[in-house]
Amino acid sequence: MRLAGPESSATAEPRARRYKCGLPQPCPEEHLAFRMVSGAANVIGPKICLEDKMLMSSVKDNVGRGLNIALVNGVSGELIEARAFDMWAGDVNDLLKFIRPLHEGTLVFVASYDDPATKMNEETRKLFSELGSRNAKELAFRDSWVFVGAKGVQNKSPFEQHVKNSKHTNKYEGWPEALEMEGCIPRRSVAS
């Protein structure tokens, strides 16, 4: 007797397997999986996920206009602190107090929302450059920016995307498109 039921699994579409933070493949051993999205215009907040843990998001209610920054222990992958810095009406000194004292090997995840740059000064741009940013020096009003850097890096970070705010190319009226970035970051060794 044959039972009626769903077609055999051989003809069913296989579902794509998702790994930590929704990555399409697993990260190698001793690497941290991450996925981050900048804010979209001034409507949809940014998200930062690390090792399947949402560090910052609108749902967690810990994001805000400006720069959303999560500091992570580069050895253990544990969150140290996550904060949003208003770069339109806030005080840049709050941001400087947050990123100046970083310890060697601290990972820095940054996702912009609305305006990342109006209050940025030369010291802020220099500090982000020292963390491995190529684009911090050029960031401007309402640009979209996602970046992962680390205290003590020797080279520029491969984990950075930047889209200029331009009325000719903006996806939203007055804002460029949101940026999405994912990847695998090597854990820092205890010795470094």
Side-chain angles (χ1 to χ4, degrees):
M1 173 161 117
R2 189 177 155 171
L3 297 173
E7 291 181 34
S8 77
S9 61
T11 60
E13 283 289 313
R15 287 200 28 212
R17 174 133 188 238
R18 287 285 183 220
Y19 297 90
K20 289 179 181 173
C21 293
L23 267 61
Q25 69 270 333
C27 287
E29 252 183 75
E30 296 305 311
H31 282 67
L32 302 168
F34 80 93
R35 182 170 185 271
M36 55 199 302
V37 184
S38 70
N42 62 347
V43 181
I44 301 167
K47 293 179 187 155
I48 301 174
C49 175
L50 181 70
E51 286 292 290
D52 246 4
K53 290 187 205 101
M54 194 58 71
L55 304 182
M56 299 188 83
S57 71
S58 295
V59 172
K60 288 184 74 85
D61 197 25
N62 66 349
V63 296
R65 137 176 111 179
L67 295 177
N68 294 273
I69 303 176
L71 303 180
V72 172
N73 180 309
V75 177
S76 70
E78 291 300 310
L79 177 66
I80 297 167
E81 191 174 355
R83 285 191 51 199
F85 297 91
D86 186 340
M87 299 306 287
W88 171 253
D91 184 351
V92 73
N93 289 308
D94 294 338
L95 172 61
L96 289 168
K97 286 178 203 152
F98 190 68
I99 59 174
R100 269 189 202 126
L102 296 181
H103 295 288
E104 196 81 9
T106 300
L107 298 174
V108 181
F109 293 78
V110 184
S112 68
Y113 182 28
D114 187 2
D115 177 25
T118 296
K119 291 282 179 142
M120 260 198 194
N121 60 19
E122 199 53 44
E123 183 182 1
T124 316
R125 293 173 189 279
K126 182 176 181 284
L127 286 168
F128 280 119
S129 294
E130 289 169 0
L131 295 169
S133 172
R134 288 179 170 81
N135 301 119
K137 289 188 186 326
E138 291 92 46
L139 280 180
F141 176 66
R142 287 189 179 167
D143 287 359
S144 286
W145 184 47
V146 287
F147 166 66
V148 183
K151 178 75 174 190
V153 294
Q154 302 306 311
N155 304 308
K156 292 298 177 193
S157 172
F159 302 113
E160 184 173 32
Q161 292 180 21
H162 174 224
V163 175
K164 288 295 243 179
N165 169 21
S166 160
K167 66 180 179 185
H168 303 296
T169 58
N170 282 350
K171 181 172 183 174
Y172 311 107
E173 195 172 319
W175 285 273
E177 66 187 297
L179 293 172
E180 199 170 315
M181 184 170 65
E182 60 187 31
C184 303
I185 299 170
R187 284 184 192 267
R188 310 292 280 203
S189 63
V190 183
S192 62

mmCIF file of all heavy atoms in Angstrom, residues 17-53:
data_model
loop_
_atom_site.group_PDB
_atom_site.id
_atom_site.type_symbol
_atom_site.label_atom_id
_atom_site.label_comp_id
_atom_site.label_asym_id
_atom_site.label_seq_id
_atom_site.Cartn_x
_atom_site.Cartn_y
_atom_site.Cartn_z
ATOM 1 N N ARG A 17 21.800 25.948 4.003
ATOM 2 C CA ARG A 17 22.143 25.921 5.414
ATOM 3 C C ARG A 17 22.742 27.270 5.783
ATOM 4 O O ARG A 17 23.500 27.849 5.031
ATOM 5 C CB ARG A 17 23.156 24.799 5.654
ATOM 6 C CG ARG A 17 23.674 24.806 7.065
ATOM 7 C CD ARG A 17 23.689 23.458 7.717
ATOM 8 N NE ARG A 17 24.017 23.650 9.119
ATOM 9 C CZ ARG A 17 25.047 23.097 9.717
ATOM 10 N NH1 ARG A 17 25.810 22.270 9.072
ATOM 11 N NH2 ARG A 17 25.289 23.336 10.994
ATOM 12 N N ARG A 18 22.401 27.748 6.934
ATOM 13 C CA ARG A 18 22.940 29.009 7.426
ATOM 14 C C ARG A 18 23.788 28.713 8.652
ATOM 15 O O ARG A 18 23.459 27.877 9.469
ATOM 16 C CB ARG A 18 21.822 29.982 7.789
ATOM 17 C CG ARG A 18 21.138 30.534 6.566
ATOM 18 C CD ARG A 18 22.053 31.556 5.944
ATOM 19 N NE ARG A 18 21.503 32.224 4.788
ATOM 20 C CZ ARG A 18 22.228 32.495 3.712
ATOM 21 N NH1 ARG A 18 23.468 32.120 3.630
ATOM 22 N NH2 ARG A 18 21.708 33.153 2.716
ATOM 23 N N TYR A 19 24.878 29.467 8.771
ATOM 24 C CA TYR A 19 25.783 29.286 9.897
ATOM 25 C C TYR A 19 25.700 30.501 10.812
ATOM 26 O O TYR A 19 24.806 31.309 10.680
ATOM 27 C CB TYR A 19 27.202 29.031 9.365
ATOM 28 C CG TYR A 19 27.264 27.746 8.565
ATOM 29 C CD1 TYR A 19 27.020 27.741 7.193
ATOM 30 C CD2 TYR A 19 27.497 26.526 9.199
ATOM 31 C CE1 TYR A 19 27.033 26.561 6.475
ATOM 32 C CE2 TYR A 19 27.509 25.343 8.486
ATOM 33 C CZ TYR A 19 27.275 25.364 7.123
ATOM 34 O OH TYR A 19 27.283 24.185 6.420
ATOM 35 N N LYS A 20 26.626 30.622 11.735
ATOM 36 C CA LYS A 20 26.592 31.708 12.715
ATOM 37 C C LYS A 20 26.375 33.063 12.043
ATOM 38 O O LYS A 20 27.010 33.359 11.031
ATOM 39 C CB LYS A 20 27.885 31.724 13.531
ATOM 40 C CG LYS A 20 27.989 30.556 14.490
ATOM 41 C CD LYS A 20 29.294 30.609 15.248
ATOM 42 C CE LYS A 20 29.401 29.427 16.202
ATOM 43 N NZ LYS A 20 30.731 29.387 16.825
ATOM 44 N N CYS A 21 25.495 33.867 12.611
ATOM 45 C CA CYS A 21 25.139 35.195 12.106
ATOM 46 C C CYS A 21 24.591 35.155 10.683
ATOM 47 O O CYS A 21 24.622 36.156 9.972
ATOM 48 C CB CYS A 21 26.323 36.165 12.195
ATOM 49 S SG CYS A 21 26.798 36.579 13.886
ATOM 50 N N GLY A 22 24.135 33.988 10.245
ATOM 51 C CA GLY A 22 23.539 33.865 8.917
ATOM 52 C C GLY A 22 24.548 33.735 7.787
ATOM 53 O O GLY A 22 24.189 33.853 6.616
ATOM 54 N N LEU A 23 25.817 33.481 8.114
ATOM 55 C CA LEU A 23 26.832 33.327 7.069
ATOM 56 C C LEU A 23 26.530 32.099 6.207
ATOM 57 O O LEU A 23 26.013 31.105 6.707
ATOM 58 C CB LEU A 23 28.228 33.189 7.688
ATOM 59 C CG LEU A 23 29.027 34.479 7.857
ATOM 60 C CD1 LEU A 23 28.335 35.453 8.765
ATOM 61 C CD2 LEU A 23 30.415 34.191 8.360
ATOM 62 N N PRO A 24 26.873 32.149 4.915
ATOM 63 C CA PRO A 24 26.593 31.015 4.024
ATOM 64 C C PRO A 24 27.528 29.823 4.242
ATOM 65 O O PRO A 24 27.236 28.727 3.788
ATOM 66 C CB PRO A 24 26.773 31.606 2.624
ATOM 67 C CG PRO A 24 27.648 32.801 2.814
ATOM 68 C CD PRO A 24 27.397 33.309 4.212
ATOM 69 N N GLN A 25 28.652 30.016 4.917
ATOM 70 C CA GLN A 25 29.550 28.896 5.238
ATOM 71 C C GLN A 25 30.160 29.136 6.613
ATOM 72 O O GLN A 25 30.212 30.268 7.075
ATOM 73 C CB GLN A 25 30.640 28.707 4.177
ATOM 74 C CG GLN A 25 31.692 29.780 4.112
ATOM 75 C CD GLN A 25 31.312 30.905 3.161
ATOM 76 O OE1 GLN A 25 30.566 30.700 2.218
ATOM 77 N NE2 GLN A 25 31.807 32.083 3.423
ATOM 78 N N PRO A 26 30.594 28.062 7.259
ATOM 79 C CA PRO A 26 31.177 28.237 8.598
ATOM 80 C C PRO A 26 32.549 28.897 8.513
ATOM 81 O O PRO A 26 33.238 28.795 7.504
ATOM 82 C CB PRO A 26 31.289 26.802 9.122
ATOM 83 C CG PRO A 26 31.386 25.954 7.901
ATOM 84 C CD PRO A 26 30.601 26.656 6.830
ATOM 85 N N CYS A 27 32.927 29.561 9.583
ATOM 86 C CA CYS A 27 34.265 30.141 9.657
ATOM 87 C C CYS A 27 35.264 29.059 10.054
ATOM 88 O O CYS A 27 34.903 28.100 10.739
ATOM 89 C CB CYS A 27 34.293 31.260 10.703
ATOM 90 S SG CYS A 27 33.445 32.748 10.169
ATOM 91 N N PRO A 28 36.534 29.229 9.641
ATOM 92 C CA PRO A 28 37.559 28.284 10.078
ATOM 93 C C PRO A 28 37.733 28.326 11.595
ATOM 94 O O PRO A 28 37.298 29.289 12.239
ATOM 95 C CB PRO A 28 38.837 28.774 9.390
ATOM 96 C CG PRO A 28 38.416 29.815 8.409
ATOM 97 C CD PRO A 28 37.044 30.279 8.781
ATOM 98 N N GLU A 29 38.371 27.305 12.123
ATOM 99 C CA GLU A 29 38.657 27.305 13.561
ATOM 100 C C GLU A 29 39.465 28.541 13.926
ATOM 101 O O GLU A 29 40.232 29.051 13.116
ATOM 102 C CB GLU A 29 39.482 26.056 13.918
ATOM 103 C CG GLU A 29 38.677 25.042 14.692
ATOM 104 C CD GLU A 29 39.544 23.864 15.098
ATOM 105 O OE1 GLU A 29 40.347 24.023 16.039
ATOM 106 O OE2 GLU A 29 39.395 22.812 14.467
ATOM 107 N N GLU A 30 39.298 29.002 15.143
ATOM 108 C CA GLU A 30 39.996 30.192 15.657
ATOM 109 C C GLU A 30 39.644 31.471 14.896
ATOM 110 O O GLU A 30 40.448 32.393 14.821
ATOM 111 C CB GLU A 30 41.524 29.977 15.682
ATOM 112 C CG GLU A 30 41.967 28.883 16.630
ATOM 113 C CD GLU A 30 41.463 29.099 18.062
ATOM 114 O OE1 GLU A 30 41.623 30.208 18.590
ATOM 115 O OE2 GLU A 30 40.890 28.159 18.626
ATOM 116 N N HIS A 31 38.436 31.501 14.309
ATOM 117 C CA HIS A 31 37.918 32.700 13.665
ATOM 118 C C HIS A 31 36.546 33.022 14.265
ATOM 119 O O HIS A 31 35.834 32.121 14.703
ATOM 120 C CB HIS A 31 37.764 32.509 12.158
ATOM 121 C CG HIS A 31 39.054 32.601 11.413
ATOM 122 N ND1 HIS A 31 40.062 31.678 11.548
ATOM 123 C CD2 HIS A 31 39.498 33.518 10.519
ATOM 124 C CE1 HIS A 31 41.072 32.009 10.769
ATOM 125 N NE2 HIS A 31 40.749 33.132 10.131
ATOM 126 N N LEU A 32 36.191 34.282 14.263
ATOM 127 C CA LEU A 32 34.907 34.749 14.770
ATOM 128 C C LEU A 32 34.010 35.137 13.595
ATOM 129 O O LEU A 32 34.417 35.928 12.740
ATOM 130 C CB LEU A 32 35.106 35.964 15.675
ATOM 131 C CG LEU A 32 36.024 35.774 16.882
ATOM 132 C CD1 LEU A 32 36.380 37.120 17.520
ATOM 133 C CD2 LEU A 32 35.374 34.856 17.900
ATOM 134 N N ALA A 33 32.800 34.577 13.552
ATOM 135 C CA ALA A 33 31.841 34.910 12.502
ATOM 136 C C ALA A 33 31.146 36.213 12.842
ATOM 137 O O ALA A 33 30.724 36.416 13.975
ATOM 138 C CB ALA A 33 30.806 33.790 12.373
ATOM 139 N N PHE A 34 31.027 37.110 11.849
ATOM 140 C CA PHE A 34 30.316 38.362 12.094
ATOM 141 C C PHE A 34 29.477 38.737 10.881
ATOM 142 O O PHE A 34 29.736 38.324 9.759
ATOM 143 C CB PHE A 34 31.279 39.504 12.435
ATOM 144 C CG PHE A 34 31.941 40.119 11.224
ATOM 145 C CD1 PHE A 34 31.384 41.223 10.593
ATOM 146 C CD2 PHE A 34 33.103 39.582 10.706
ATOM 147 C CE1 PHE A 34 31.986 41.782 9.468
ATOM 148 C CE2 PHE A 34 33.710 40.132 9.580
ATOM 149 C CZ PHE A 34 33.149 41.234 8.958
ATOM 150 N N ARG A 35 28.459 39.526 11.147
ATOM 151 C CA ARG A 35 27.635 40.128 10.103
ATOM 152 C C ARG A 35 27.156 41.453 10.646
ATOM 153 O O ARG A 35 26.725 41.543 11.793
ATOM 154 C CB ARG A 35 26.447 39.238 9.776
ATOM 155 C CG ARG A 35 25.579 39.783 8.676
ATOM 156 C CD ARG A 35 24.543 38.731 8.237
ATOM 157 N NE ARG A 35 23.807 39.226 7.115
ATOM 158 C CZ ARG A 35 22.686 39.939 7.216
ATOM 159 N NH1 ARG A 35 22.173 40.218 8.389
ATOM 160 N NH2 ARG A 35 22.069 40.367 6.135
ATOM 161 N N MET A 36 27.259 42.492 9.830
ATOM 162 C CA MET A 36 26.801 43.805 10.273
ATOM 163 C C MET A 36 26.141 44.553 9.126
ATOM 164 O O MET A 36 26.460 44.326 7.960
ATOM 165 C CB MET A 36 27.947 44.605 10.892
ATOM 166 C CG MET A 36 29.153 44.769 10.024
ATOM 167 S SD MET A 36 30.648 45.228 10.935
ATOM 168 C CE MET A 36 30.190 46.718 11.740
ATOM 169 N N VAL A 37 25.194 45.415 9.491
ATOM 170 C CA VAL A 37 24.457 46.210 8.526
ATOM 171 C C VAL A 37 24.405 47.633 9.062
ATOM 172 O O VAL A 37 24.086 47.845 10.235
ATOM 173 C CB VAL A 37 23.008 45.674 8.355
ATOM 174 C CG1 VAL A 37 22.284 46.447 7.266
ATOM 175 C CG2 VAL A 37 23.011 44.187 8.044
ATOM 176 N N SER A 38 24.724 48.593 8.196
ATOM 177 C CA SER A 38 24.601 49.989 8.623
ATOM 178 C C SER A 38 23.125 50.348 8.659
ATOM 179 O O SER A 38 22.277 49.626 8.122
ATOM 180 C CB SER A 38 25.342 50.918 7.649
ATOM 181 O OG SER A 38 24.667 50.973 6.402
ATOM 182 N N GLY A 39 22.815 51.468 9.265
ATOM 183 C CA GLY A 39 21.440 51.928 9.269
ATOM 184 C C GLY A 39 21.007 52.321 7.863
ATOM 185 O O GLY A 39 21.835 52.655 7.010
ATOM 186 N N ALA A 40 19.705 52.275 7.617
ATOM 187 C CA ALA A 40 19.153 52.719 6.343
ATOM 188 C C ALA A 40 18.478 54.067 6.567
ATOM 189 O O ALA A 40 17.524 54.161 7.343
ATOM 190 C CB ALA A 40 18.149 51.700 5.815
ATOM 191 N N ALA A 41 19.018 55.101 5.916
ATOM 192 C CA ALA A 41 18.542 56.474 6.086
ATOM 193 C C ALA A 41 18.502 56.791 7.584
ATOM 194 O O ALA A 41 19.446 56.484 8.304
ATOM 195 C CB ALA A 41 17.187 56.659 5.411
ATOM 196 N N ASN A 42 17.385 57.350 8.062
ATOM 197 C CA ASN A 42 17.250 57.591 9.501
ATOM 198 C C ASN A 42 16.059 56.795 10.029
ATOM 199 O O ASN A 42 15.429 57.172 10.997
ATOM 200 C CB ASN A 42 17.094 59.085 9.802
ATOM 201 C CG ASN A 42 15.837 59.667 9.172
ATOM 202 O OD1 ASN A 42 15.204 59.041 8.333
ATOM 203 N ND2 ASN A 42 15.482 60.875 9.572
ATOM 204 N N VAL A 43 15.782 55.658 9.359
ATOM 205 C CA VAL A 43 14.587 54.877 9.653
ATOM 206 C C VAL A 43 14.900 53.513 10.260
ATOM 207 O O VAL A 43 14.371 53.142 11.295
ATOM 208 C CB VAL A 43 13.743 54.686 8.364
ATOM 209 C CG1 VAL A 43 12.484 53.897 8.646
ATOM 210 C CG2 VAL A 43 13.421 56.032 7.739
ATOM 211 N N ILE A 44 15.765 52.756 9.611
ATOM 212 C CA ILE A 44 16.071 51.394 10.069
ATOM 213 C C ILE A 44 17.451 51.393 10.716
ATOM 214 O O ILE A 44 18.442 51.743 10.071
ATOM 215 C CB ILE A 44 16.018 50.390 8.906
ATOM 216 C CG1 ILE A 44 14.622 50.404 8.270
ATOM 217 C CG2 ILE A 44 16.382 48.985 9.387
ATOM 218 C CD1 ILE A 44 14.538 49.699 6.950
ATOM 219 N N GLY A 45 17.512 50.999 11.974
ATOM 220 C CA GLY A 45 18.766 51.026 12.729
ATOM 221 C C GLY A 45 19.754 49.964 12.273
ATOM 222 O O GLY A 45 19.385 48.986 11.624
ATOM 223 N N PRO A 46 21.019 50.134 12.618
ATOM 224 C CA PRO A 46 22.063 49.178 12.257
ATOM 225 C C PRO A 46 21.993 47.915 13.115
ATOM 226 O O PRO A 46 21.297 47.871 14.131
ATOM 227 C CB PRO A 46 23.348 49.953 12.537
ATOM 228 C CG PRO A 46 22.985 50.878 13.640
ATOM 229 C CD PRO A 46 21.549 51.245 13.405
ATOM 230 N N LYS A 47 22.721 46.876 12.662
ATOM 231 C CA LYS A 47 22.817 45.616 13.409
ATOM 232 C C LYS A 47 24.265 45.156 13.388
ATOM 233 O O LYS A 47 24.937 45.257 12.364
ATOM 234 C CB LYS A 47 21.978 44.523 12.747
ATOM 235 C CG LYS A 47 20.505 44.753 12.791
ATOM 236 C CD LYS A 47 19.793 43.613 12.080
ATOM 237 C CE LYS A 47 18.325 43.924 11.974
ATOM 238 N NZ LYS A 47 17.691 43.255 10.878
ATOM 239 N N ILE A 48 24.712 44.623 14.528
ATOM 240 C CA ILE A 48 26.038 44.013 14.618
ATOM 241 C C ILE A 48 25.864 42.661 15.299
ATOM 242 O O ILE A 48 25.408 42.592 16.446
ATOM 243 C CB ILE A 48 27.032 44.893 15.412
ATOM 244 C CG1 ILE A 48 27.190 46.267 14.754
ATOM 245 C CG2 ILE A 48 28.385 44.185 15.528
ATOM 246 C CD1 ILE A 48 28.052 47.257 15.539
ATOM 247 N N CYS A 49 26.207 41.585 14.578
ATOM 248 C CA CYS A 49 26.124 40.219 15.096
ATOM 249 C C CYS A 49 27.528 39.632 15.128
ATOM 250 O O CYS A 49 28.310 39.816 14.195
ATOM 251 C CB CYS A 49 25.230 39.376 14.171
ATOM 252 S SG CYS A 49 25.155 37.620 14.628
ATOM 253 N N LEU A 50 27.856 38.929 16.207
ATOM 254 C CA LEU A 50 29.147 38.255 16.334
ATOM 255 C C LEU A 50 28.913 36.894 16.966
ATOM 256 O O LEU A 50 28.288 36.801 18.034
ATOM 257 C CB LEU A 50 30.106 39.078 17.204
ATOM 258 C CG LEU A 50 31.499 38.478 17.375
ATOM 259 C CD1 LEU A 50 32.298 38.545 16.072
ATOM 260 C CD2 LEU A 50 32.262 39.188 18.481
ATOM 261 N N GLU A 51 29.383 35.854 16.293
ATOM 262 C CA GLU A 51 29.269 34.479 16.813
ATOM 263 C C GLU A 51 27.826 34.143 17.200
ATOM 264 O O GLU A 51 27.585 33.543 18.251
ATOM 265 C CB GLU A 51 30.204 34.277 18.019
ATOM 266 C CG GLU A 51 31.661 34.173 17.637
ATOM 267 C CD GLU A 51 31.971 32.903 16.850
ATOM 268 O OE1 GLU A 51 31.944 31.796 17.418
ATOM 269 O OE2 GLU A 51 32.240 33.022 15.630
ATOM 270 N N ASP A 52 26.882 34.549 16.359
ATOM 271 C CA ASP A 52 25.452 34.283 16.549
ATOM 272 C C ASP A 52 24.827 35.064 17.701
ATOM 273 O O ASP A 52 23.720 34.768 18.112
ATOM 274 C CB ASP A 52 25.176 32.779 16.725
ATOM 275 C CG ASP A 52 24.367 32.226 15.567
ATOM 276 O OD1 ASP A 52 24.101 32.980 14.612
ATOM 277 O OD2 ASP A 52 23.983 31.056 15.623
ATOM 278 N N LYS A 53 25.538 36.056 18.236
ATOM 279 C CA LYS A 53 24.975 36.912 19.283
ATOM 280 C C LYS A 53 24.774 38.302 18.694
ATOM 281 O O LYS A 53 25.709 38.882 18.132
ATOM 282 C CB LYS A 53 25.929 37.014 20.475
ATOM 283 C CG LYS A 53 26.065 35.747 21.280
ATOM 284 C CD LYS A 53 26.904 36.010 22.532
ATOM 285 C CE LYS A 53 27.559 34.758 23.026
ATOM 286 N NZ LYS A 53 28.956 34.629 22.677
#
